[in-house]
Amino acid sequence: MPALRIAVTGATGFIGSHLVPALRRNGDSVHRIVRSRPDPGDIVWSPRDRRIDAAALEGMDAVIHLAGENIAQRWTSATRRRIRESRVAGTSLLASTMAALERPPRVMISASAVGFYGADRGDETLDESSAPGDDFLADVAVEWEAATEPAASRGIRVVRTRFGVVLHPEGGMLQRVLPIFRLGLGGRLGDGRQWMSWIALDDLIEAVRFALRTPTIAGGVNVTAPTPVRNEEFTRVLGKVLGRPTMAVVPAFAIRAVFGEMGDATILASQRVLPGRLLEAGFQFEQTSLESALRSELGS
């Protein structure tokens, strides 16, 4: 496929630090959008001050927006404000800036999350047509996605990628639980019945590249494997891959005591999400078996 000129926010984060090299290996010219200490070719911005080098975005083929405050922390009122502002303000600045360009990018891929659907969806099967939830993370995701509207109104193809739980030992949930499981102290969380919508990091990267080059993909897009699992199954499979017992149980009240509302909204959340639009567009997942994905990511 023809090489693209792509600007990327969040390029040094967990996903961005793997996506940027993958894009460059495939011949794309990638320009990081950074807050400070830019390298040659980087684009400087300050979402808080609503400043960005708009001229540097002129003529780009695509913008990939990944930046946002980490949600894996206890939610004080200040943390809640940072989580919301880091997503909504940055997205609004990018979208409005792109909309005002003479030669705007053809596509904007803006990260979102399956938190869009809310934490307590039980066994309900969710696809891109499902209604959003009504808790804090769902409200943030709705505002986050809505902030892309200036770009969409300008005729830019906007893809709102709703990421599931990304499996990779260097970041996200897997990085946090691996030390516990390797000690043989891993176990299910709460009653273990909550659904977990996961995706291998390599599949996520390929899904983003696929969305960049597939003109029929627009709007909300679930970026999850087509085989979500319950927490009790995830626990059993990870223990099997590591060759460790998984007899421990972390009760829900203990999770709530340590993590507060964040524990309910993420650790105990039940979201059975399917990637309807990716499958309809012909995307092929490399990893649809949780065990195979974990063995690939962990080299087991």
Side-chain angles (χ1 to χ4, degrees):
M1 300 293 288
L4 301 177
R5 294 184 67 227
I6 306 170
V8 181
T9 75
T12 60
F14 168 42
I15 293 174
S17 62
H18 291 86
L19 176 63
V20 168
L23 293 170
R24 286 174 172 162
R25 282 195 300 271
N26 284 278
D28 294 320
S29 174
V30 181
H31 302 261
R32 305 183 311 161
I33 301 177
V34 299
R35 288 179 173 83
S36 61
R37 296 190 296 277
D39 292 334
D42 287 348
I43 300 167
V44 177
W45 76 330
S46 175
R48 178 175 296 180
D49 301 323
R50 292 197 63 80
R51 289 189 293 104
I52 190 170
D53 184 0
L57 294 176
E58 197 78 54
M60 285 284 174
D61 294 304
V63 170
I64 301 175
H65 177 39
L66 303 173
E69 176 82 9
N70 185 4
I71 66 170
Q73 53 185 309
R74 196 173 182 91
W75 293 349
T76 64
S77 57
T79 304
R80 283 168 163 263
R81 184 170 59 253
R82 289 197 306 271
I83 289 171
R84 186 183 300 273
E85 290 179 355
S86 69
R87 285 158 173 76
V88 178
T91 306
S92 173
L93 173 61
L94 272 176
S96 58
T97 300
M98 292 164 62
L101 297 176
E102 289 186 13
R103 294 177 294 122
R106 295 191 300 271
V107 58
M108 176 186 190
I109 293 185
S110 186
S112 185
V114 295
F116 174 91
Y117 300 107
D120 188 19
R121 301 301 289 257
D123 292 337
E124 182 181 358
T125 299
L126 304 167
D127 63 17
E128 290 87 353
S129 66
S130 300
D134 58 3
D135 53 33
F136 170 67
L137 281 187
D139 290 345
V140 168
V142 168
E143 290 185 49
W144 191 6
E145 294 190 11
T148 64
E149 187 53 37
S153 296
R154 178 67 164 81
I156 298 167
R157 178 168 63 89
V158 175
V159 183
R160 304 172 182 106
T161 46
R162 296 169 185 163
F163 296 143
V165 177
V166 184
L167 299 185
H168 193 275
E170 295 178 7
M173 181 272 289
L174 192 57
Q175 182 188 47
R176 293 193 294 274
V177 303
L178 272 177
I180 299 170
F181 274 75
R182 283 175 169 150
L183 290 172
L185 302 175
R188 63 176 170 84
L189 304 174
D191 64 10
R193 300 291 293 166
Q194 65 270 31
W195 285 95
M196 172 182 159
S197 298
W198 61 275
I199 185 167
L201 179 61
D202 286 346
D203 273 341
L204 180 147
I205 289 171
E206 289 307 309
V208 171
R209 294 184 63 239
F210 182 80
L212 277 172
R213 290 171 162 86
T214 305
T216 58
I217 293 181
V221 176
N222 296 334
V223 184
T224 62
T227 49
V229 298
R230 295 187 188 273
N231 173 259
E232 59 188 359
E233 181 179 354
F234 175 83
T235 298
R236 177 186 61 79
V237 173
L238 180 55
K240 177 183 177 181
V241 169
L242 295 174
R244 295 291 187 272
T246 54
M247 302 299 293
V249 176
V250 183
F253 75 82
I255 293 170
R256 294 185 179 106
V258 173
F259 297 106
E261 184 184 357
M262 190 274 286
D264 270 316
T266 59
I267 300 170
L268 298 174
S270 184
Q271 296 154 337
R272 189 181 186 182
V273 179
L274 299 181
R277 286 187 173 159
L278 282 176
L279 293 174
E280 289 169 5
F283 180 73
Q284 296 184 352
F285 289 85
E286 288 293 323
Q287 302 291 351
T288 57
S289 158
L290 176 63
E291 181 174 344
S292 175
L294 288 172
R295 291 194 183 280
S296 175
E297 295 292 346
L298 299 176
S300 299

